[in-house]
Amino acid sequence: MFDVALQSEPVAAWTAMLPAILLGLTGLVLLGIDTLYPEETSNTLLAAVSAAGSLLAFAVAAWFLVAGTGQEHTGGAISLFGDTMVVDGMSLFFTLIFTVVTAMVAVAAYDYLADHAHRAEFYSLVLFAATGMTLMSMANSLATIFISLELASLPSYALVAFLKKNRGSVESGLKYFLIGSVSSGVMLFGISLVYATTGSLILGDVASALGEGTEMVGVLGVGVLMIAGGVAYKTASVPFHFWAPEAYEGAPAPISAFLSSASKAAGFAVGFRIFVEAFPLGAIPAGVDWVLAFQVLAVVTMTLGNFAAATQENVKRMLAYSSIGHAGYALIGLAALTAGGPNGDVLGASMAHLLVYGFMNTGAFLFIAMVEHWGVGRTFEDYNGLASVAPIAAVAMTVFMFSLAGLPPFGGFLSKYALFFSAIEAGFWWLAAVGAINSALSLFYYSRVVKAMWIESPAKDLEIESRPVGLYAAVLFAGLGTLLLLPGFGPVIETAQSVAAALF
Amino acid sequence: MIIEALIAVTFLAALVVFVAPDEYAGRLAAALSALPILGSLWMWAQYDASGNALLGGSIAFETDVVWLTLGGLDLHWFVGVDGISLPLVVLTTILTTLAIISAWTPIAERQSQFYGLMLFMEANLLGVFTALDFFAWFVFWEAVLVPMYFLIGVWGGPNRRYAAIKFFVYTNIASLVMFIGFIALVFGLGDSVSSMRLPEIAQALRAGELGGFAGLDTATLKTVAFVATFLGFAVKVPVAPLHTWLPDAHVEAPTPVSVMLAGVLLKMGTYALLRFNFTMMPDVATALVVPIAGIAVISVIYGAMLALAQEDLKRIVAYSSVSSMGYVILGLVAYTTYGVGGATFQMIAHGLISGLMFMAVGVIYNTTHTRMVGDMSGIADRMPVTAGIFVAGAFGYMGLPLMAGFAGEFFIFKGSFESTVHAGMPLFTAAAMFGIVIVAGYLLFAMQRTLFGPFSFDGEYEITNAPFHDVAPLAVLLLLTIVLGVAPDLFFGMIQDAVNPILNGGGL
């Protein structure tokens, strides 16, 4: 077995970081291809290399996860570079989300970029961002967390502003950049405050320093709050959510998919690890009740996201706000933690929801990318009658919408159910109730898309000139994933909950 | 594995039909939907089980594998049938095929999508009637809504958007209420159940292992859960005053969809009431007998009165469903072999007869392009076969002996007269029986004004006999109605067998 080989001499421990390394290498290879053939870079080759690289990383991560690398039964988390990086079940699980989303985005971008310049840069930026996200999920020190977060963010700023002749894209790129920089600064300051109180950056050492007690509870509290702010920014949670609808709307649609699925999951990976490992509920001083903060955050985020989504006229903005709502659901993973409670179940359910979300939300944004590719328009009215010209894609979009709303028989139903069930199990039935009510309300705006596509008749002649192969492939893949995650949810939730339990 | 095969074949057929070209989608769908009929008839012929699946009886064609584990609770893929669910499975397969054939004339656009959705709905309905794990059951239960939403919304009448949304929102909120009620029970049972398998939950509830949850004591929790699940299912049934989505949905839906809605979808509600409320919490059901019987009687009388006041043939039949389903509730709450068994039998009978009536109205509408009673008169002259079947079906609805409706209603009335759950039951029964008079009233009234008398018609269409494939499904349904009326024991034996354990403490 691989996991045995990993701990014996011939294979060095750093090979456990293979998924991240593969992603980074693929990004470099893409740049190399572009350097060799600067004038006539083949879009097909670039997209194929990006998709192959991310799928390879996916396969390796899945293999590690199945083989037990970094999990309890094979000797526990693999710690690297003086404990600043750690490979464990949770980081591998999140890597699955990043890599599969990256692969779908790369395949979809093949069509989206067909008549754009600087294609190689696009693909390599996506892969570098994915590398950053993978590192975020492995980072075990406040310093590496910050650096990997920046590695994920910087390419994202450029990607949002990628359509440089489009004012919306450039404007939202600028907004994203400004808010991102401010949030980074806030988080960095929070990190320095925590360092000041505990004298350490390694998450485990922070926790043990806290366990010995500190006199600067106030400073620590401010630091924790500022770090929470950084996490809230990256996950597009209230009150740091304002950038999200702007950035998602202005960015090229595949990038909206990438940011709202993978980047958000990366934010959660960091949040989960920091708060569980560095500020464990047993050790944190009574004055710093971050669980309460996340409870408030979760309720406000899901409610605000949902109500804002319900009032939109633009489908892309609606999805952007609904993705804020989903951040609220995923925050239950931190909000329903208790000392000694079924914490692994709660956190695992949140991770499993993020995986399902990776499929359904990416698929939904990629469908929007396809509609943009057709030049149909962005409002609900523009979607009228789409099903009559593109029934298969419309079926996939219907699957995404109903799955996002949490309706059976789709994956989103089970992941939401697991989330709310775990919250009730932990004693937070009111949190589950708010989530369930929000979820029921969300059906209203999701079904508007479905209604427009299937039931309304098109106002003008609806002509579709092309059938983009890559976009279709990516959308159908995401749709199939969303469907198959219903019968196949068992291994997902069981893996997620067992790797999450290993954190506590 | 026959149940899995049945569901899988239907799903695959849905997929095939969905991508098939429009020209032969209808024929292909009818041909493929014959497979589930054969399967369900084979199940009926091979049926070998006894007792109630939830209360320790043996289960036919059972499969039980763990699907996933969540917080110490196993969710199973657990399917099987007993005497209550098998007749509904047979009804579903037969009625779907007939509805598909009856769609050949009226459905002119996007046909492959229409037939694909019909088959998709059938697959989920089969799942609802065979799943014995709450979770698998709920997945199918909710999945039925999705095709129904499209079937009404895309192919319906002028007001279809409103009707489709109303149907979706009403029944989805009802499902949420029901879900919360049931999950509260599961948490109340705590460690005494290790899964959401319905038999396990039913037996634990009957054995009194329910504890409190979220600050509610046992008795309150049980009552709250009963009311929540009852309301959730009652919307689906529907009982007055939660029925307002039904006439809208029926009137807007195309004929074949109305057939499925009245014939099978409403039975999901009464089936679930029987399985959940009356099987699992008989003590609460007995304690609440007066309000429930009251609701049943109000549904019977009020639904019939509303039908009497309608000018639209389809609305008449639609409101009559509210009335007929009221009888079913009355039978359930009577809590006797004949009452509960009769209610189950009436689900089948009403499925056949209401399907027949909706199809007959549909055939008339295909020819005349109007459903208004005032627009036509004496059309029996021009379309005697359809008119004849319409009359026969109406007699079945009124409960003429030797037709399935008579058997069902007779069992229910016998059961509810004999009921000992409450001293007032005979009174409720007598009041409900008055409904029969009104039913006869509105049906005779409608027939007399539209079918008989001198011929006149306000419209440009030529009125001739309907094509064979329009009338054939009607004839089949009429035949089945008579067969079940003459020989109720084709199903009633197994129904009684499955119903008795509910009444006798489930052998616990």
Side-chain angles (χ1 to χ4, degrees):
Chain A
M1 289 297 282
F2 183 81
D3 50 281
V4 181
L6 197 63
Q7 279 140 25
S8 61
E9 272 311 300
V11 181
W14 58 264
T15 50
M17 288 179 69
L18 212 53
I21 294 168
L22 280 171
L23 287 172
L25 277 181
T26 314
L28 291 175
V29 167
L30 288 166
L31 285 183
I33 295 172
D34 193 43
T35 316
L36 289 177
Y37 309 103
E39 296 304 317
E40 42 187 329
T41 322
S42 155
N43 189 20
T44 318
L45 178 68
L46 292 171
V49 168
S50 330
S54 33
L55 283 180
L56 194 63
F58 176 86
V60 172
W63 172 31
F64 283 179
L65 205 54
V66 173
T69 306
Q71 289 171 47
E72 268 175 349
H73 59 279
T74 57
I78 299 169
S79 156
L80 300 158
F81 310 121
D83 230 10
T84 56
M85 302 299 278
V86 60
V87 177
D88 58 2
M90 180 183 132
S91 68
L92 291 170
F93 189 90
F94 272 106
T95 305
L96 293 184
I97 306 178
F98 309 142
T99 47
V100 77
V101 171
T102 309
M104 284 190 279
V105 168
V107 172
Y110 167 72
D111 295 304
Y112 199 85
L113 292 178
D115 38 9
H116 277 84
H118 311 298
R119 291 188 290 245
E121 287 83 345
F122 182 94
Y123 291 112
S124 51
L125 284 173
V126 167
L127 276 143
F128 288 136
T131 315
M133 292 170 193
T134 313
L135 292 174
M136 278 164 86
S137 70
M138 294 176 181
N140 194 38
S141 144
L142 291 171
T144 47
I145 284 173
F146 183 74
I147 292 167
S148 53
L149 195 140
E150 286 299 295
L151 176 57
S153 297
L154 288 173
S156 307
Y157 302 146
L159 285 167
V160 169
F162 190 76
L163 308 172
K164 61 183 180 183
K165 294 189 180 127
N166 176 326
R167 284 193 59 183
S169 175
V170 175
E171 189 190 326
S172 56
L174 187 66
K175 278 183 186 160
Y176 186 30
F177 174 64
L178 288 176
I179 298 175
S181 320
V182 171
S183 307
S184 293
V186 167
M187 188 168 180
L188 197 56
F189 194 59
I191 288 173
S192 62
L193 290 180
V194 170
Y195 182 71
T197 36
T198 60
S200 177
L201 286 172
I202 308 289
L203 300 184
D205 296 351
V206 170
S208 41
L210 287 177
E212 289 157 17
T214 171
E215 287 164 11
M216 298 191 281
V217 176
V219 176
L220 175 76
V222 175
V224 169
L225 204 64
M226 289 177 116
I227 291 179
V231 170
Y233 152 72
K234 203 67 196 160
T235 56
S237 305
V238 175
F240 294 93
H241 67 284
F242 292 105
W243 62 273
E246 304 294 333
Y248 296 169
E249 194 196 350
I255 295 306
S256 316
F258 189 59
L259 290 183
S260 66
S261 309
S263 176
K264 179 168 286 185
F268 278 109
V270 164
F272 290 167
R273 198 183 292 280
I274 293 183
F275 283 94
V276 170
E277 297 273 286
F279 311 122
L281 286 171
I284 194 92
V288 189
D289 192 353
W290 56 262
V291 175
L292 180 69
F294 278 110
Q295 282 162 3
V296 175
L297 225 57
V299 168
V300 174
T301 304
M302 62 175 98
T303 312
L304 194 142
N306 261 313
F307 277 92
T311 57
Q312 301 302 318
E313 281 308 314
N314 176 319
V315 179
K316 212 170 168 189
R317 275 185 89 84
M318 180 280 280
L319 264 188
Y321 277 109
S322 93
S323 113
I324 294 173
H326 275 270
Y329 302 138
L331 277 175
I332 289 180
L334 285 174
L337 296 183
T338 47
N343 290 345
D345 286 2
V346 177
L347 202 58
S350 199
M351 285 161 59
H353 182 64
L354 286 169
L355 178 74
V356 178
Y357 183 70
F359 279 92
M360 56 192 182
N361 189 58
T362 311
F365 270 110
L366 291 184
F367 179 85
I368 288 178
M370 189 138 69
V371 176
E372 281 184 11
H373 180 90
W374 288 331
V376 166
R378 292 181 164 191
T379 62
F380 284 99
E381 272 104 64
D382 295 326
Y383 278 54
N384 284 354
L386 265 184
S388 56
V389 284
I392 305 288
V395 168
M397 185 62 171
T398 308
V399 169
F400 302 138
M401 290 295 108
F402 283 152
S403 181
L404 282 166
L407 214 65
F410 310 111
F413 164 66
L414 259 187
S415 64
K416 273 190 188 173
Y417 167 78
L419 200 54
F420 299 153
F421 184 91
S422 310
I424 298 176
E425 202 191 353
F428 293 92
W429 57 268
W430 54 271
L431 209 53
V434 174
I437 292 168
N438 264 305
S439 193
L441 290 178
S442 73
L443 186 61
F444 163 70
Y445 56 83
Y446 287 125
S447 65
R448 271 185 81 187
V449 180
V450 176
K451 178 165 153 267
M453 290 192 306
W454 290 93
I455 296 177
E456 304 292 343
S457 30
K460 48 188 184 297
D461 279 343
L462 204 56
E463 288 283 332
I464 289 177
E465 281 131 33
S466 62
R467 304 266 161 194
V469 181
L471 275 167
Y472 257 97
V475 166
L476 291 187
F477 176 77
L480 212 59
T482 310
L483 269 183
L484 291 182
L485 276 169
L486 183 84
F489 194 66
V492 171
I493 185 78
E494 277 155 30
T495 312
Q497 293 189 332
S498 80
V499 301
L503 291 177
F504 295 96
Chain B
M1 293 305 283
I2 176 73
I3 293 175
E4 285 83 356
L6 215 59
I7 296 175
V9 162
T10 320
F11 268 128
L12 281 179
L15 212 60
V16 169
V17 170
F18 193 84
V19 296
D22 271 357
E23 302 101 78
Y24 55 89
R27 271 71 176 164
L28 184 67
L32 288 176
S33 70
L35 294 173
I37 293 191
L38 292 179
S40 69
L41 289 180
W42 183 84
M43 279 167 70
W44 178 73
Q46 297 288 315
Y47 177 76
D48 174 29
S50 63
N52 185 295
L54 268 50
L55 298 173
S58 70
I59 303 168
F61 314 110
E62 177 184 0
T63 314
D64 187 3
V65 289
V66 178
W67 178 6
L68 57 103
T69 306
L70 202 66
L73 273 182
D74 289 337
L75 309 180
H76 290 241
W77 169 257
F78 182 23
V79 292
V81 291
D82 66 358
I84 294 173
S85 44
L86 182 60
L88 288 162
V89 170
V90 178
L91 173 75
T92 305
T93 58
I94 293 180
L95 211 57
T96 308
T97 303
L98 296 177
I100 285 174
I101 295 173
S102 78
W104 289 356
T105 306
I107 301 301
E109 52 174 12
R110 294 161 83 176
Q111 295 177 22
S112 50
Q113 291 171 14
F114 179 88
Y115 294 109
L117 285 170
M118 288 288 277
L119 287 166
F120 181 70
M121 183 159 72
E122 180 187 8
N124 288 310
L125 285 167
L126 292 174
V128 169
F129 292 130
T130 52
L132 289 172
D133 178 89
F134 174 73
F135 215 79
W137 175 86
F138 188 73
V139 168
F140 285 122
W141 170 274
E142 284 288 278
V144 170
L145 299 187
V146 176
M148 203 60 195
Y149 170 70
F150 290 116
L151 286 170
I152 297 174
V154 177
W155 289 273
N159 208 6
R160 59 185 188 271
R161 294 178 187 85
Y162 170 76
I165 294 275
K166 191 171 177 183
F167 163 79
F168 206 32
V169 169
Y170 256 70
T171 49
N172 197 47
I173 289 176
S175 297
L176 185 72
V177 171
M178 180 276 295
F179 189 83
I180 291 171
F182 188 80
I183 290 293
L185 279 184
V186 174
F187 276 100
L189 284 170
D191 289 336
S192 48
V193 288
S194 64
S195 75
M196 289 209 200
R197 292 152 79 234
L198 295 179
E200 197 175 332
I201 295 197
Q203 285 163 27
L205 279 173
R206 284 217 161 194
E209 280 162 18
L210 190 70
F213 181 69
L216 301 175
D217 61 55
T218 305
T220 322
L221 177 67
K222 205 168 184 180
T223 312
V224 167
F226 184 94
V227 172
T229 46
F230 185 89
L231 285 178
F233 298 136
V235 169
K236 197 79 136 204
V237 171
V239 300
L242 304 171
H243 67 283
T244 59
W245 63 269
L246 181 92
D248 285 314
H250 266 315
V251 170
E252 296 307 322
T255 304
V257 177
S258 294
V259 170
M260 293 302 287
L261 190 58
V264 192
L265 257 74
L266 305 189
K267 276 65 195 181
M268 288 164 64
T270 45
Y271 170 76
L273 278 176
L274 173 54
R275 282 287 198 218
F276 288 79
N277 295 71
F278 291 96
T279 302
M280 294 182 183
M281 297 170 271
D283 44 344
V284 189
T286 322
L288 295 178
V289 61
V290 174
I292 297 175
I295 288 172
V297 171
I298 289 171
S299 292
V300 168
I301 304 291
Y302 183 64
M305 301 278 259
L306 285 173
L308 194 59
Q310 300 306 316
E311 282 294 309
D312 180 335
L313 274 180
K314 205 168 178 185
R315 265 184 191 271
I316 295 178
V317 185
Y319 277 112
S320 73
S321 289
V322 178
S323 177
S324 291
M325 297 317 272
Y327 290 131
V328 176
I329 307 275
L330 185 71
L332 290 178
V333 80
Y335 231 70
T336 53
T337 310
Y338 275 102
V340 180
T344 313
F345 191 84
Q346 175 73 359
M347 292 182 207
I348 311 296
H350 180 257
L352 295 174
I353 302 174
S354 68
L356 172 61
M357 294 302 280
F358 273 114
M359 274 189 209
V361 173
V363 171
I364 292 174
Y365 178 76
N366 290 344
T367 314
T368 61
H369 296 255
T370 180
R371 291 188 303 253
M372 291 301 154
V373 172
D375 287 352
M376 50 190 151
S377 160
I379 58 170
D381 282 352
R382 307 292 168 95
M383 34 194 335
V385 182
T386 312
I389 295 177
F390 189 103
V391 172
F395 282 148
Y397 225 128
M398 293 174 216
L400 218 65
L402 293 187
M403 306 221 357
F406 171 76
E409 282 171 18
F410 174 76
F411 293 149
I412 289 176
F413 291 139
K414 178 173 160 59
S416 60
F417 262 127
E418 288 167 351
S419 173
T420 54
V421 285
H422 189 264
M425 273 311 277
L427 217 62
F428 282 115
T429 314
M433 283 175 87
F434 189 66
I436 295 180
V437 182
I438 313 179
V439 172
Y442 64 72
L443 283 174
L444 289 170
F445 203 43
M447 285 192 298
Q448 191 237 327
R449 285 193 291 172
T450 55
L451 301 179
F452 306 120
F455 175 78
S456 80
F457 172 60
D458 294 346
E460 288 145 25
Y461 299 92
E462 196 189 341
I463 298 179
T464 52
N465 252 328
F468 175 74
H469 63 74
D470 271 5
V471 184
L474 293 174
V476 174
L477 279 176
L478 185 59
L479 186 71
L480 291 175
T481 309
I482 294 171
V483 167
L484 268 194
V486 175
D489 248 14
L490 286 176
F491 285 132
F492 199 62
M494 63 172 83
I495 289 174
Q496 272 185 311
D497 194 27
V499 160
N500 280 331
I502 300 178
L503 312 169
N504 304 333
L508 288 172

